[in-house]
Structures are given as C-alpha cells and as structure tokens.
Amino acid sequence: GENVEQHPSTLSVQEGDSAVIKCTYSDSASNYFPWYKQELGKRPQLIIDIRSNVGEKKDQRIAVTLNKTAKHFSLHITETQPEDSAVYFCAASKGSSASKIIFGSGTRLSIRP
Amino acid sequence: DAGVTQSPTHLIKTRGQHVTLRCSPISGHKSVSWYQQVLGQGPQFIFQYYEKEERGRGNFPDRFSARQFPNYSSELNVNALLLGDSALYLCASRQLPYGGQETQYFGPGTRLLVL
C-alpha cells in the first residue's frame, strides 16, 4: 500500500547550521508533496510544497528537492534559527479527486543555541 | 478571513460512548478531510468529503463515520469509543478535489481523551 518513510526521527543542529530531512514514497502515482511544521500543541502548518513537474523549489531559507525516479524528496533549512525547532512532516498525495495525503512519521528538529 | 475551525477543542469520554466532532472549512473551500493524529505520530487519513459525498476513506473501522452539510461544514462521528481512539482529530479543507488545488489547510484540532 501507500507509504511514506521519513528520516531521521530526531535531528539536533547548531543554530546557523543547515538541517536536512529526507523522505521516500512508495506510490509512483504520487504527484504532490507538501511539508508541514507542527509546534507543540498546535496544528500542522504548510511550509512548502512541490509538484511532480518541478525538481526544486525555494522559499527564503527553505528548499525542497524531488527525485521522481528514485521516489525521494528532501527538505533543506539553511541558517537555522531557534524558532525552527518543531516537528516536521513530509507527505505525499496523488492530487486526484480523493485528496488523501499520506504523512511520514515526523522529524523532531531541535536547534541548539 | 477565518481559517478552518473545529469544535470542541477538548473532549473527555469513557469507553463505549459516542462522540461527534465538528469542522467548518475556509470560506470557499468545498472539500473537507479528517485525520487522526496519535501522540508522536503523523496524521492518519480517515475521510474526505466533497459536495456532501464521500470521496475517500482510510483504514479505519466502521465505528468511524462522517458527513458533510450543504454549507460544506462536516461532522465526524465515532461510536463505541476505545482507549486507542484517544488522539488529536484534525480537519483540513481545500478548495477543489481535482488537480491543481491540492493544498490543504488544517484546523486547530479536537483533542479527544477516552478513559
């Protein structure tokens, strides 16, 4: 069945360094890949998304890359700041009439001062 | 412009009881999806509704049901509650079910505790 694997489960980086979170998906028909940030006790917030016709997308300090052949996609955060500390979820969807989104298991990112 | 709203914010029930959770989508959004998020895990898809019709169902038992109303708001019902149903229940809305507008926006969730 559909599955999204996410690594690592926890990540600690020094403030100012970069953080990378990687995901793989199983359904080759997936064509939409959002990333969500969830702070403790709050709702998941969409931070960036990418569609299958694009290989890379950037938004200020955040970038996402997609390798459809390998069914891999990654989140890159540069110049990390304390407010980047949160749980990050990758997800995949077919973007069809059924908008089921399959989420990864999450990465708890901690930024050390 | 209001975002997705959910009620109640918190709920405590006992095993065997029934619960109804409510969601109002962003104005103009016609599709509502429900997710269950157990502590420490990613959200798990339960249902998607569009124009009052079920368009998708996740791997959840028949104790879980939902419906969508003409104003596009939605209810999630869970019967015969089990301890394992304790979770954050998230509602997400999107504008269209078909390609091009896949972005979903989540509500604040309802935290359900089953004792």
Side-chain angles (χ1 to χ4, degrees):
Chain A
E2 301 155 314
N3 187 46
V4 175
E5 293 191 0
Q6 184 172 347
H7 301 280
S9 56
T10 60
L11 180 60
S12 178
V13 300
Q14 194 74 33
E15 182 178 350
D17 287 351
S18 296
V20 180
I21 301 171
K22 298 182 179 182
C23 291
T24 60
Y25 59 98
S26 61
D27 190 342
S28 57
S30 297
N31 59 6
Y32 174 64
F33 307 91
W35 286 86
Y36 287 87
K37 174 183 180 182
Q38 188 174 31
E39 297 177 357
L40 189 63
K42 297 190 176 180
R43 76 189 78 185
Q45 298 269 16
L46 179 73
I47 56 172
I48 195 168
D49 56 12
I50 190 168
R51 290 175 172 82
S52 58
N53 58 346
V54 176
E56 183 176 1
K57 183 177 178 180
K58 286 185 179 180
D59 183 3
Q60 300 182 351
R61 298 186 296 107
I62 294 173
V64 57
T65 59
L66 172 65
N67 182 331
K68 282 206 71 179
T69 302
K71 293 190 281 188
H72 289 173
F73 58 115
S74 300
L75 178 72
H76 304 251
I77 306 174
T78 58
E79 301 174 12
T80 53
Q81 301 170 3
E83 53 265 34
D84 295 331
S85 294
V87 179
Y88 291 80
F89 293 98
C90 63
S93 169
K94 295 180 185 180
S96 64
S97 59
S99 60
K100 173 170 59 175
I101 292 183
I102 305 298
F103 283 80
S105 54
T107 296
R108 182 173 299 279
L109 175 62
S110 300
I111 308 301
R112 302 190 304 272
Chain B
D1 187 20
V4 179
T5 59
Q6 292 185 243
S7 63
T9 55
H10 295 83
L11 204 51
I12 299 175
K13 292 285 189 178
T14 56
R15 282 178 295 175
Q17 284 189 313
H18 161 91
V19 68
T20 297
L21 311 181
R22 296 177 177 82
C23 170
S24 293
I26 293 171
S27 178
H29 286 195
K30 299 181 178 181
S31 175
V32 170
S33 296
W34 287 95
Y35 293 82
Q36 180 195 65
Q37 187 176 24
V38 174
L39 194 63
Q41 298 180 17
Q44 299 291 315
F45 174 78
I46 309 175
F47 288 111
Q48 190 239 341
Y49 275 78
Y50 176 72
E51 293 285 13
K52 297 175 289 180
E53 290 187 4
E54 181 183 304
R55 297 299 183 98
R57 173 186 283 258
N59 188 25
F60 280 81
D62 292 343
R63 299 185 296 108
F64 289 77
S65 63
R67 56 179 176 168
Q68 187 176 34
F69 299 99
N71 65 354
Y72 305 114
S73 67
S74 178
E75 283 183 354
L76 175 70
N77 295 284
V78 187
N79 293 323
L81 285 167
L82 302 174
L83 296 180
D85 295 330
S86 296
L88 178 67
Y89 288 85
L90 294 161
C91 171
S93 78
R94 63 198 291 259
Q95 189 170 7
L96 294 169
Y98 299 99
Q101 296 291 338
E102 296 92 345
T103 302
Q104 293 197 13
Y105 298 91
F106 284 92
T110 294
R111 192 164 297 280
L112 173 64
L113 176 61
V114 182
L115 301 176

